[in-house]
Structure formats: structure tokens, C-alpha cells
Amino acid sequence: SGERTFAWVHLEGLAPPWIPRAPVAEADAILFGREFVDPAYAGPIDGSAESLRRVHAGEIAPTAADRAALGALYDRQLAYLSAVIWTGLYATYDFHTAPAEASETWPRTVFVLAGLNGIELLERGAIGATGALSDAALHVPLVLRHPDSLTGERIFDDVVGLADVAPTLLEWFRLPPLPGARGRSLLAVTDSYVERPFPARPAFAQLPDRGVFSVRDERWRLVWNPLRTQPAGRPAAAG
């Protein structure tokens, strides 16, 4: 209809356990022939809930090969989910497969991909993300795509947060800012036509139900756990 449309899609699929999934032909074709887990690996890590429970219970002392297998299982699931996203966008917007109206919409579409949280893969003795403020859980991807209007840097290492996404989109579309918003627009670094400084700013995170807080900048990160709380069902080292 030519009207502006906003779509929010929340995807879940990277949280453990990593068990066999129903096949999707197009995504499977993209991954065809790719090996993730070493075929020679015969250890106890298979991605099942039982194997992860045994690790957390201390029944399995992960070896280097076990850690590599766990990372490979996660990489395989991540690659599969990325392929599902790609095939969905391709089927919706590609000129050869989608209706003409849809394919003409993509050049005018802003696409944002933001990670909600990362997952620890035994870096601190635990698997998962619940109750942790480590880099593995806090450092997530943020991708902004709009080739017809984004003119700034392609990749940048500034410390930003997910709270910055909404202010960025509002300024981009010349909409009023959110009152009391904690985030800030990222157009100063993603659009060369926006000429204003982008001073460094620390990023904060908190788990209020457990009294754990984190703050970081480009060089340092502090985790404050004054109550010495521990995530339930995880090794003590995870806290």
C-alpha cells in the first residue's frame, strides 16, 4: 500500500540443548557438505539436555575435545538459524522468486539484526546464559542494513547497547524521540551526513533479581556481585 510498516521478529533457537531439528530443505542445502563436529569425536557431549546436565553436575570433566565439540554444536545451530533467516528473506524479497512489489520493497527496507544475549560455552565452567554477566553473554552482534542511505563506517568497535537501536531508528525516520530513553542514536557513526561527535560511553547491565551488576568501556569491565549470588543449577565458578 506504500505505507510504512514495522515488523518485529523474535527468534529463539540458539539456547541449549542443541538437539536434532526438523529439516528445512533450503537451509539444509546451504549447509550441505559442511562438517561442524569432528567425525572422529566419540565423547559424551552430544548437545542433549542430559549431557549438559552431567557437565553442570560435575559428572563430566570436559576435555579440550569436549569443549571443541560443544563449540561445534553451537556453531552448527548458529549456521542453521542464519540459513533459515537468509532463505526467508530470499523467498520474500528476491527479484527472481518474490512478486515484483515485494522485490521493489527491499531497497527501501531497513533491516536490523540484534542479538538478545550470548551463551557461555564452558569458558567459566557453565553452559548457557541465564544468570551470567560475562562477555560471552553480553557481547552480541548488532547489524544495520540499508545500502541506499547508510554512508558511514561499515564496521565499528564502539561500545553500544541494544537500548541504542530505537533512538537510531527514530532519528533515521525523522520521528520524535522517546521521552526518557536511555539509549542514543548511532547515526553519528553509521551515517557520514550526520556530523556530530560520538563520545565514548560505558555500557551497563544488571540482574536485579540477583543483585549482580556490570559496567564496561572499550578497555575495562567490572562485575559487581555484592551478595555473592550464584546462578541456580550451575557450577560455582560461573558466578
Side-chain angles (χ1 to χ4, degrees), residues 10-27:
H10 184 117
L11 297 173
E12 292 185 346
L14 288 178
W18 298 296
I19 57 177
R21 75 289 183 283
V24 175
E26 294 86 353

Side-chain angles (χ1 to χ4, degrees), residues 86-107:
W86 185 88
T87 54
L89 294 174
Y90 181 82
T92 303
Y93 293 108
D94 181 72
F95 179 81
H96 298 287
T97 59
E101 293 81 2
S103 61
E104 293 170 358
T105 300
W106 182 243

Side-chain angles (χ1 to χ4, degrees), residues 202-213:
F204 296 86
Q206 66 182 62
L207 294 171
D209 57 328
R210 297 181 178 88
V212 185
F213 306 88

Side-chain angles (χ1 to χ4, degrees), residues 50-71:
E50 175 60 20
S51 69
L52 305 186
R53 182 201 65 78
R54 293 180 62 197
V55 171
H56 280 173
E59 300 173 9
I60 298 176
T63 64
D66 294 335
R67 295 173 186 270
L70 181 65

Side-chain angles (χ1 to χ4, degrees), residues 13-19 47-49 52 56 70 74 77 117 119-121 127-129:
L14 288 178
W18 298 296
I19 57 177
S48 66
L52 305 186
H56 280 173
L70 181 65
Y74 178 81
Q77 187 68 11
N117 61 260
I119 292 179
E120 290 188 9
L121 298 174
I127 303 170

